[in-house]
Amino acid sequence: MATQIEIVQQLSTMTSRGALQAARELAAESLVKFPDDGRLWEIAGLLDHAKGDPDSCERRLETAQTLTPLRPAASCGLADAYRHFGRNALAKDLYAHVVTLDQSSIRLWQYCALRLDEIGAVAQAVDAARRVAAAQPENAQSIFEFGYYLSRFGTASQLVAAVMKQAISLAPDQVSYRLGLADLLLSTGDRSAAFAWIQGLSARQIEQLTCPCCLERLARLFESGNDWVRAHACRVWIDRHSVNERPTARFSSSFLIQEYLLETDGLRQATSAAALRA
C-alpha cells in the first residue's frame, strides 16, 4: 500500500499533467485510508476548487483546518469558497491573513489583492499590492498594480500618478500603463496632460491591446485630443481582432493546487537540506 508521501507525489504528478479528475479520485480514496492526514484533506479540497466544486472544497478544507494549520494556498481556497457563498467577512480575513505570511509566494499576494478588491475590501487589497511592489521594486506590473489599487481606494491622484509614472519608467513601451495614467489624469480634468501620455503611440503599440474596452477607452482619449487617425486605428483593431475575444483569466482554475504543491515541495526540499546539514 502506498504511503502518504507517495500518494502526495502521485497527486503532484497527476496535477502537473492536468489529470485533475483522476487526482480527485485518488485523493478521495486516500482520505478513506488516511482520514487524519490534514495534507490530503487540503489537496482534496484544492482539487475540488480546481474542478469548480465550492461546496466540497469548503467542507474538505474546513476538515483540514481541524487537523493542521492551513497552508497559504489552502487558506486562499477556503476563502474562495466562502466568497462563493457570500461569506465575505470570513473570506476577507483569510485573504488578509495570507498577505501577512512570509511563506506566501508573491503570486499568492497578487491573487489575494485581486480577490480582496472583488469583495470590496480595497484597503486590504492595497496592503497586498504594497507588499508585492516592495518585494519587486523593479517589476513594472507590480508597481502599476499598486497604483491601480491606490486609485481604487481613493488615494490622492497626484500620489497615484507618481506610482504609475514609476511603472512607465520601468516599461515605457507598455501601452496599458500609459492608458491607465491618461485615464487618471483625464478624470482630474487635465486633458492636455492625459493626451500627452498617449499621443505618440504607434500602430504597433496600439495593437498590444486586445481588450475591446481598453481600445475603446484609448480611442476616446485620442478623440479628446482631436487625433482622429489613431482613434480610427483603435476601432479598426477592435473590429478586426477583438470582437470575439473573451478576457483571459489572470489565474487559472488550477492555480491554487499548483501553488500548494509548490509550497509542499519547497518545504520538503528545505527539510531535506536541513537534515543533510545536521
Side-chain angles (χ1 to χ4, degrees):
M1 184 174 69
T3 66
Q4 288 125 301
I5 292 176
E6 289 170 338
I7 291 170
V8 170
Q9 290 172 339
Q10 290 177 42
L11 290 169
S12 179
T13 300
M14 289 177 173
T15 301
S16 66
R17 293 176 178 172
L20 295 181
Q21 185 55 40
R24 283 184 85 191
E25 292 169 4
L26 175 59
E29 293 171 6
S30 302
L31 290 176
V32 176
K33 298 175 184 175
F34 305 106
D36 297 324
D37 190 323
R39 293 174 307 164
L40 289 175
W41 283 102
E42 284 182 308
I43 293 171
L46 288 175
L47 286 166
D48 291 333
H49 180 281
K51 294 297 287 184
D53 186 347
D55 185 61
S56 184
C57 171
E58 179 184 47
R59 285 187 286 103
R60 284 176 166 169
L61 290 178
E62 285 186 335
T63 300
Q65 198 171 34
T66 67
L67 298 169
T68 185
L70 292 183
R71 289 178 179 153
S75 291
C76 287
L78 183 55
D80 281 353
Y82 288 155
R83 180 173 61 93
H84 176 83
F85 292 114
R87 301 165 72 183
N88 287 346
L90 288 173
K92 181 185 76 170
D93 289 345
L94 279 172
Y95 292 131
H97 174 65
V98 170
V99 173
T100 68
L101 300 176
D102 290 337
Q103 64 266 40
S104 299
S105 69
I106 291 174
R107 293 180 301 276
L108 276 179
W109 293 339
Q110 292 170 324
Y111 186 88
C112 289
L114 178 65
R115 295 294 182 244
L116 284 161
D117 185 51
E118 288 174 346
I119 62 174
V122 185
Q124 289 77 16
V126 169
D127 291 339
R130 180 182 289 110
R131 186 151 202 195
V132 172
Q136 298 182 318
E138 302 301 318
N139 185 291
Q141 181 175 343
S142 296
I143 300 300
F144 182 81
E145 288 178 356
F146 178 41
Y148 167 78
Y149 289 117
L150 284 172
S151 177
R152 293 270 296 152
F153 187 58
T155 304
S157 57
Q158 298 94 322
L159 295 177
V160 176
V163 174
M164 290 184 172
K165 287 175 183 177
Q166 182 184 352
I168 293 171
S169 72
L170 292 168
D173 293 330
Q174 181 57 256
V175 176
S176 60
Y177 301 164
R178 291 178 175 271
L179 175 57
L181 177 57
D183 274 340
L184 174 70
L185 294 171
L186 190 63
S187 72
T188 68
D190 196 343
R191 181 174 298 179
S192 61
F195 184 68
W197 282 99
I198 51 96
Q199 64 180 344
L201 294 178
S202 66
R204 179 186 61 80
Q205 289 175 302
I206 291 171
E207 291 174 3
Q208 287 181 20
L209 298 175
T210 58
C211 166
C213 293
C214 296
L215 284 161
E216 181 61 32
R217 285 162 49 208
L218 186 58
R220 290 177 182 174
L221 280 164
F222 282 134
E223 288 170 351
S224 74
N226 296 319
D227 190 338
W228 306 106
V229 173
R230 286 187 176 86
H232 177 70
C234 289
R235 294 203 165 91
V236 167
W237 188 243
I238 293 173
D239 292 340
R240 288 182 180 175
H241 300 280
S242 301
V243 171
N244 296 319
E245 284 198 5
R246 301 178 66 184
T248 301
R250 176 159 182 198
F251 297 98
S252 71
S253 60
S254 60
F255 169 73
L256 290 180
I257 182 61
Q258 291 170 347
E259 279 293 303
Y260 179 90
L261 293 170
L262 285 173
E263 290 170 4
T264 54
D265 185 58
L267 286 171
R268 184 167 57 250
Q269 291 178 9
T271 301
S272 298
L276 287 172
R277 287 195 298 270

